[in-house]
Amino acid sequence: MMGLMRVKWQNCVRKIRFLQTRPQSSSNQILISPSSLTSLDLPNDDTWTCNSSSQTTLIPTVNTAKVIDGKLISMEIKSKIASEVTRMKKCLGIVPGLAVILVGQRKDSQIYVRNKILACDQVGLNSFVTELPTDSTQADVCKAVMKFNKDPSIHGILVQLPLPQHLDEEEVLGSVCIEKDVDGFNPLNIGNLAIRGGEPLFTPCTPKGCIELLIRSGVKIMGKNAVVIGRSNIVGLPTSLLLQRHHATVTIIHAFTENPQKITCDADILVSAAGVPNLVRGKWIKPGATVIDVGTSPVEDLSCEDGYRLMGDVCYEEAVTVAAAITPVPGGVGPMTVAMLLLNTLDSAKRVLNFI
Amino acid sequence: MMGLMRVKWQNCVRKIRFLQTRPQSSSNQILISPSSLTSLDLPNDDTWTCNSSSQTTLIPTVNTAKVIDGKLISMEIKSKIASEVTRMKKCLGIVPGLAVILVGQRKDSQIYVRNKILACDQVGLNSFVTELPTDSTQADVCKAVMKFNKDPSIHGILVQLPLPQHLDEEEVLGSVCIEKDVDGFNPLNIGNLAIRGGEPLFTPCTPKGCIELLIRSGVKIMGKNAVVIGRSNIVGLPTSLLLQRHHATVTIIHAFTENPQKITCDADILVSAAGVPNLVRGKWIKPGATVIDVGTSPVEDLSCEDGYRLMGDVCYEEAVTVAAAITPVPGGVGPMTVAMLLLNTLDSAKRVLNFI
């Protein structure tokens, strides 16, 4: 059994390595972020010099931060994805497919899924939704995943989170085959995101979107102090790991952090993913910092179409008077997350079909 | 191929999950650190409260830090490992085995391997060394690994690093089957170390030793500012991840960090793993901090038996006047790393033999 297991593991690692090393076309590159994380690894990564210069941060000349328009940037990216989908269809007669599994009746989850499907339509990706009742068993959900795992017309599988409490989220996510894990939540992907020399098959969508926003906004990451608020498996943790791969000096703060404000005040790049409206006040922000607000807490608002509106973690009115640049909520990170999901699905199809 | 691959992956994940969930005996617990990382995950991990209290750190009443005696602590741990090895031999007639692969003639590597073999002897573990010439091919090294992968008398495999430059370290390490990866360097292990809810099969030895030293020295980790200097895959990165699982607020600094001293000065726990002698001066240390010096740079010294002595990253003479507690070099982290290697090998054998 051990021997068989070993051989399976070796085959698995070999196959993943093969997938990882397929050539990527640079002419069709959609993001400005590098397509390979290992390309970020520098030969002198571990060479220390005495670098005690004080930090130079651009302080805005006017007291209003530049608004980083995630909606606009995501539209540019989606437009390029659409071109690539068309090219693939023309060359191979194949359209990449995304499968979404939604368990239960959470209104916010339903809206998120609806938006993802709409986005698939916009760029020409096929999409398939399996809706399961709240009282579905673990086996029901895993069966739905397995069906998509087997289906060659599906290149990405997304399980909408959170799942109802009685389900084992880890097991469900673990049942998504790693070649279709477009969310990038598989522990092997996270490990490869973390380690120098590692190349995950998929980088989680929200962190990937945050980095693209920073790079497109001209924010230097290398050597800068980056503080990530929140350490969730789906945002905080992978964002911190990705910022580190980009050579930022990263601190993660969380609910047990003593005096978080003292730490955030030193951040050149502040990414908040705590899910607590107005947690980050103006005085938490270093003048001239770039603020990426990942928070999207639904707050009841009957004047809105869906009966609620989304609130970020950052007190926007205060932040714009201190920061150099900031993402709004909505219209900042959210649309980028969706765009990255589409891109991961496209890349997954390209990889498996060896389409350059 | 994709389908087969998926089934293999699922089997692999299932097997690993099975191994992970085997019961661990608490009566035979050797470390004070918790044997399960998921036991550290708290239900209110993500519940934020306004916690802006200033930090309280014990400032030593005398200007000499307590020396954390890693040699003594490692001897206590090794004594317990020896008892467990004896018990296993008595009950099952089986002695756990560690295999070490050494490529090339690096003197420091030869000494490290010799020390590990001696330590195996001390606790009654079987050990096997394969020495390969410097000009070995990738295939030669992987073949040696595969031989041990297949051998049921081997429960842990260690490839002594660094490998000669012409070899692909990642591929060699990846060829060690995950159930025997007592170094814990497999990306899947690192991923499971990183994510909340993840339980790596093996925690890397040096980080595991550092945490045990902290806990045995009565140092509170939760909520404290921990700074890790260096982000190597084998020490800095996994140490930062493990400290985070223990709910510290963690910052990793590295060669590109601007003004590292400003950051280290706020550290309640400072772990240095840069490999640069005397990088950490007294003024880098917060009064009352605990300093863990992982650095072991060999410096020529003909008065020593081996022709060199090991130097830490920390300027010890200065640090003892500022810190509350400090590990010496040698005699601090080094012996703990070896003890954790023995423990991981014992635990591996226990797991595969279902010995409680």
Side-chain angles (χ1 to χ4, degrees), chain A residues 72-120:
Chain A
L72 184 68
I73 294 174
S74 74
M75 280 168 65
E76 285 173 27
I77 292 169
K78 284 196 282 188
S79 150
K80 289 186 181 169
I81 294 172
S83 302
E84 283 296 282
V85 171
T86 305
R87 190 170 69 87
M88 184 182 261
K89 192 175 176 182
K90 208 167 151 186
C91 293
L92 304 180
I94 292 174
V95 174
L98 174 70
V100 181
I101 295 166
L102 173 63
V103 187
Q105 301 287 326
R106 278 182 67 120
K107 208 171 171 187
D108 55 345
S109 290
Q110 287 171 331
I111 293 169
Y112 291 140
V113 169
R114 189 188 65 193
N115 289 344
K116 287 166 189 171
I117 300 305
L118 280 173
C120 283

Coordinates of all heavy atoms in Angstrom, one line a residue, chain A residues 72-120:
Chain A
L72 N -12.8 49.4 -13.7 CA -12.3 49.7 -15.0 C -11.1 48.7 -15.4 O -11.1 48.2 -16.5 CB -11.7 51.1 -15.0 CG -11.2 51.7 -16.3 CD1 -12.3 51.9 -17.3 CD2 -10.5 53.0 -16.1
I73 N -10.2 48.5 -14.5 CA -9.1 47.6 -14.7 C -9.6 46.2 -15.0 O -9.1 45.6 -16.0 CB -8.1 47.6 -13.5 CG1 -7.5 49.0 -13.4 CG2 -7.0 46.6 -13.7 CD1 -6.6 49.2 -12.2
S74 N -10.6 45.8 -14.3 CA -11.1 44.4 -14.5 C -11.8 44.3 -15.9 O -11.7 43.3 -16.6 CB -12.1 44.0 -13.4 OG -13.3 44.7 -13.6
M75 N -12.3 45.4 -16.4 CA -13.0 45.4 -17.7 C -11.9 45.3 -18.8 O -12.1 44.6 -19.8 CB -13.8 46.7 -17.9 CG -15.2 46.5 -17.2 SD -16.1 48.1 -17.2 CE -16.4 48.4 -18.9
E76 N -10.8 46.0 -18.6 CA -9.7 45.8 -19.5 C -9.2 44.4 -19.6 O -8.9 43.8 -20.7 CB -8.5 46.7 -19.1 CG -8.7 48.2 -19.3 CD -7.6 49.1 -18.7 OE1 -6.5 48.6 -18.6 OE2 -7.9 50.2 -18.4
I77 N -9.1 43.8 -18.4 CA -8.6 42.4 -18.3 C -9.6 41.5 -19.0 O -9.2 40.6 -19.7 CB -8.3 42.0 -16.9 CG1 -7.0 42.8 -16.4 CG2 -8.0 40.5 -16.7 CD1 -6.8 42.8 -14.9
K78 N -10.8 41.7 -18.6 CA -11.9 40.8 -19.2 C -11.9 40.9 -20.7 O -12.2 39.9 -21.4 CB -13.2 41.1 -18.6 CG -13.4 40.6 -17.1 CD -14.8 40.5 -16.6 CE -15.3 41.9 -16.2 NZ -16.6 41.8 -15.5
S79 N -11.7 42.1 -21.2 CA -11.7 42.3 -22.7 C -10.6 41.4 -23.3 O -10.8 40.8 -24.4 CB -11.5 43.8 -23.0 OG -10.9 44.0 -24.2
K80 N -9.4 41.4 -22.7 CA -8.3 40.6 -23.2 C -8.6 39.1 -23.0 O -8.3 38.3 -23.9 CB -7.0 40.9 -22.5 CG -6.5 42.3 -22.8 CD -5.1 42.5 -22.2 CE -4.6 43.9 -22.6 NZ -3.4 44.3 -21.9
I81 N -9.3 38.7 -21.9 CA -9.7 37.3 -21.8 C -10.6 36.9 -22.9 O -10.5 35.9 -23.5 CB -10.3 37.1 -20.4 CG1 -9.3 37.3 -19.3 CG2 -11.0 35.7 -20.3 CD1 -9.9 37.3 -17.8
A82 N -11.6 37.8 -23.2 CA -12.6 37.5 -24.2 C -11.9 37.3 -25.6 O -12.2 36.3 -26.3 CB -13.6 38.7 -24.4
S83 N -10.9 38.1 -25.9 CA -10.1 37.9 -27.1 C -9.5 36.5 -27.1 O -9.5 35.8 -28.2 CB -9.0 38.9 -27.3 OG -9.5 40.2 -27.2
E84 N -8.9 36.1 -26.0 CA -8.2 34.8 -25.9 C -9.2 33.7 -26.0 O -8.9 32.6 -26.7 CB -7.4 34.7 -24.6 CG -6.1 35.5 -24.6 CD -5.1 34.9 -25.7 OE1 -4.5 33.9 -25.4 OE2 -5.0 35.6 -26.7
V85 N -10.4 33.8 -25.4 CA -11.4 32.8 -25.5 C -11.8 32.6 -27.0 O -11.9 31.5 -27.5 CB -12.6 33.1 -24.6 CG1 -13.8 32.2 -24.9 CG2 -12.2 33.1 -23.2
T86 N -12.0 33.7 -27.7 CA -12.4 33.7 -29.1 C -11.3 33.0 -29.9 O -11.6 32.2 -30.8 CB -12.6 35.2 -29.6 OG1 -13.5 35.8 -28.8 CG2 -13.0 35.2 -31.1
R87 N -10.0 33.4 -29.6 CA -8.9 32.8 -30.4 C -8.9 31.3 -30.1 O -8.6 30.5 -31.1 CB -7.6 33.4 -29.9 CG -6.4 33.1 -30.7 CD -5.2 33.9 -30.4 NE -4.7 33.6 -29.1 CZ -3.7 32.7 -28.8 NH1 -3.2 32.0 -29.8 NH2 -3.3 32.5 -27.6
M88 N -9.1 30.9 -28.9 CA -9.1 29.4 -28.6 C -10.2 28.7 -29.3 O -10.0 27.6 -29.9 CB -9.2 29.2 -27.1 CG -9.1 27.8 -26.7 SD -9.3 27.6 -24.9 CE -7.6 27.5 -24.3
K89 N -11.4 29.3 -29.3 CA -12.5 28.7 -30.0 C -12.2 28.5 -31.5 O -12.5 27.5 -32.1 CB -13.8 29.6 -29.8 CG -15.1 28.9 -30.2 CD -16.2 29.8 -29.8 CE -17.5 29.2 -30.3 NZ -18.7 30.1 -30.0
K90 N -11.6 29.6 -32.1 CA -11.3 29.6 -33.5 C -10.3 28.5 -33.8 O -10.4 27.8 -34.8 CB -10.8 31.0 -33.8 CG -11.0 31.4 -35.3 CD -10.7 32.9 -35.4 CE -10.3 33.2 -36.8 NZ -9.9 34.6 -36.9
C91 N -9.3 28.4 -33.0 CA -8.2 27.5 -33.3 C -8.5 26.1 -33.0 O -8.1 25.1 -33.7 CB -6.9 27.9 -32.5 SG -6.2 29.4 -33.0
L92 N -9.2 25.9 -31.8 CA -9.4 24.5 -31.3 C -10.8 24.0 -31.3 O -11.1 22.9 -31.2 CB -8.8 24.3 -29.9 CG -7.4 24.7 -29.6 CD1 -7.1 24.5 -28.1 CD2 -6.5 23.8 -30.4
G93 N -11.7 25.0 -31.5 CA -13.1 24.7 -31.4 C -13.6 24.4 -30.0 O -14.6 23.7 -29.8
I94 N -12.8 24.8 -29.0 CA -13.1 24.5 -27.6 C -13.3 25.8 -26.8 O -12.5 26.8 -27.0 CB -12.0 23.7 -27.0 CG1 -12.0 22.3 -27.6 CG2 -12.2 23.5 -25.5 CD1 -10.8 21.4 -27.2
V95 N -14.3 25.8 -26.0 CA -14.5 27.0 -25.1 C -14.3 26.5 -23.7 O -14.9 25.5 -23.3 CB -16.0 27.5 -25.3 CG1 -16.3 28.6 -24.3 CG2 -16.2 28.0 -26.7
P96 N -13.4 27.2 -22.9 CA -13.2 26.8 -21.5 C -14.5 26.9 -20.7 O -15.4 27.7 -21.0 CB -12.2 27.9 -21.0 CG -11.6 28.5 -22.3 CD -12.6 28.4 -23.3
G97 N -14.6 26.0 -19.7 CA -15.8 25.9 -18.9 C -15.5 26.0 -17.5 O -14.6 25.4 -16.9
L98 N -16.4 26.8 -16.8 CA -16.3 27.0 -15.3 C -17.5 26.4 -14.7 O -18.6 26.6 -15.1 CB -16.2 28.5 -14.9 CG -16.2 28.8 -13.4 CD1 -14.9 28.3 -12.7 CD2 -16.4 30.3 -13.2
A99 N -17.3 25.5 -13.7 CA -18.4 24.9 -12.9 C -18.5 25.5 -11.5 O -17.4 25.7 -10.9 CB -18.2 23.4 -12.8
V100 N -19.7 25.9 -11.1 CA -19.9 26.5 -9.8 C -20.8 25.6 -9.0 O -21.9 25.2 -9.5 CB -20.4 27.9 -9.9 CG1 -20.6 28.5 -8.5 CG2 -19.5 28.8 -10.7
I101 N -20.5 25.3 -7.8 CA -21.3 24.6 -6.9 C -21.8 25.5 -5.7 O -21.0 26.0 -5.0 CB -20.6 23.3 -6.4 CG1 -20.3 22.4 -7.5 CG2 -21.5 22.6 -5.3 CD1 -19.3 21.3 -7.2
L102 N -23.1 25.6 -5.6 CA -23.7 26.5 -4.6 C -24.6 25.6 -3.7 O -25.5 25.0 -4.2 CB -24.5 27.6 -5.3 CG -25.4 28.5 -4.4 CD1 -24.5 29.3 -3.4 CD2 -26.2 29.4 -5.2
V103 N -24.2 25.6 -2.4 CA -25.0 24.8 -1.5 C -25.8 25.8 -0.6 O -25.2 26.6 0.1 CB -24.1 23.9 -0.6 CG1 -25.0 22.9 0.2 CG2 -23.2 23.1 -1.5
G104 N -27.1 25.6 -0.5 CA -27.9 26.4 0.4 C -28.4 27.7 -0.3 O -28.3 27.9 -1.5
Q105 N -29.1 28.5 0.5 CA -29.9 29.6 0.1 C -29.3 31.0 0.5 O -30.1 32.0 0.5 CB -31.3 29.5 0.6 CG -32.0 28.2 0.2 CD -32.4 28.2 -1.3 OE1 -32.8 29.2 -1.8 NE2 -32.3 27.0 -1.9
R106 N -28.1 31.1 0.9 CA -27.5 32.4 1.3 C -27.7 33.4 0.2 O -27.2 33.1 -0.9 CB -26.0 32.2 1.7 CG -25.8 31.7 3.1 CD -24.3 31.7 3.3 NE -23.7 33.0 3.4 CZ -23.1 33.6 4.5 NH1 -23.0 32.8 5.6 NH2 -22.7 34.8 4.4
K107 N -28.3 34.5 0.6 CA -28.6 35.5 -0.5 C -27.3 36.1 -1.1 O -27.2 36.2 -2.3 CB -29.5 36.6 0.1 CG -30.3 37.2 -0.9 CD -31.3 38.2 -0.3 CE -32.0 38.9 -1.4 NZ -32.9 40.0 -0.9
D108 N -26.3 36.4 -0.2 CA -25.1 37.0 -0.7 C -24.4 36.0 -1.6 O -23.9 36.4 -2.7 CB -24.2 37.5 0.5 CG -23.9 36.4 1.5 OD1 -24.5 35.3 1.5 OD2 -22.9 36.6 2.3
S109 N -24.4 34.7 -1.2 CA -23.7 33.7 -2.0 C -24.4 33.6 -3.4 O -23.7 33.5 -4.5 CB -23.7 32.3 -1.4 OG -22.9 32.3 -0.3
Q110 N -25.7 33.6 -3.4 CA -26.5 33.6 -4.6 C -26.1 34.7 -5.6 O -25.9 34.6 -6.8 CB -28.0 33.6 -4.4 CG -28.5 32.3 -3.8 CD -29.9 32.4 -3.3 OE1 -30.4 33.5 -2.9 NE2 -30.7 31.3 -3.4
I111 N -25.9 35.9 -5.0 CA -25.6 37.1 -5.8 C -24.1 37.0 -6.3 O -23.9 37.2 -7.5 CB -25.7 38.4 -4.9 CG1 -27.2 38.6 -4.7 CG2 -25.2 39.6 -5.7 CD1 -27.6 39.7 -3.6
Y112 N -23.2 36.5 -5.5 CA -21.9 36.3 -5.9 C -21.8 35.3 -7.1 O -21.1 35.6 -8.1 CB -21.0 35.8 -4.8 CG -20.7 36.8 -3.7 CD1 -20.7 36.4 -2.4 CD2 -20.5 38.1 -4.0 CE1 -20.4 37.3 -1.3 CE2 -20.2 39.0 -3.0 CZ -20.2 38.6 -1.7 OH -20.0 39.6 -0.7
V113 N -22.5 34.2 -7.0 CA -22.6 33.2 -8.0 C -23.1 33.8 -9.3 O -22.6 33.6 -10.4 CB -23.3 31.9 -7.6 CG1 -23.6 31.0 -8.8 CG2 -22.5 31.2 -6.5
R114 N -24.2 34.5 -9.1 CA -24.9 35.1 -10.3 C -23.9 36.1 -11.0 O -23.8 36.0 -12.2 CB -26.1 36.0 -9.8 CG -27.0 36.5 -10.9 CD -28.0 37.4 -10.4 NE -27.4 38.7 -9.8 CZ -28.1 39.5 -9.1 NH1 -29.3 39.3 -8.7 NH2 -27.5 40.6 -8.6
N115 N -23.1 36.8 -10.2 CA -22.1 37.8 -10.9 C -21.0 37.0 -11.6 O -20.6 37.5 -12.6 CB -21.5 38.7 -9.8 CG -22.5 39.7 -9.3 OD1 -23.6 39.9 -9.9 ND2 -22.3 40.3 -8.1
K116 N -20.6 35.9 -11.0 CA -19.6 35.1 -11.7 C -20.1 34.5 -13.0 O -19.3 34.5 -14.0 CB -19.1 34.0 -10.7 CG -18.2 34.5 -9.6 CD -18.0 33.5 -8.5 CE -17.4 34.2 -7.3 NZ -17.3 33.4 -6.1
I117 N -21.3 34.1 -13.0 CA -21.9 33.5 -14.2 C -22.0 34.6 -15.3 O -21.7 34.4 -16.5 CB -23.3 32.8 -13.9 CG1 -23.1 31.7 -12.9 CG2 -23.9 32.3 -15.2 CD1 -22.1 30.7 -13.2
L118 N -22.5 35.8 -14.8 CA -22.6 36.9 -15.8 C -21.3 37.2 -16.4 O -21.2 37.5 -17.6 CB -23.2 38.1 -15.0 CG -24.7 38.2 -14.8 CD1 -25.1 39.3 -13.9 CD2 -25.4 38.3 -16.2
A119 N -20.2 37.2 -15.5 CA -18.9 37.5 -16.0 C -18.4 36.5 -17.0 O -17.8 36.8 -18.0 CB -17.9 37.6 -14.8
C120 N -18.7 35.2 -16.8 CA -18.4 34.2 -17.7 C -19.1 34.5 -19.1 O -18.4 34.4 -20.2 CB -18.9 32.8 -17.3 SG -17.9 32.1 -16.0

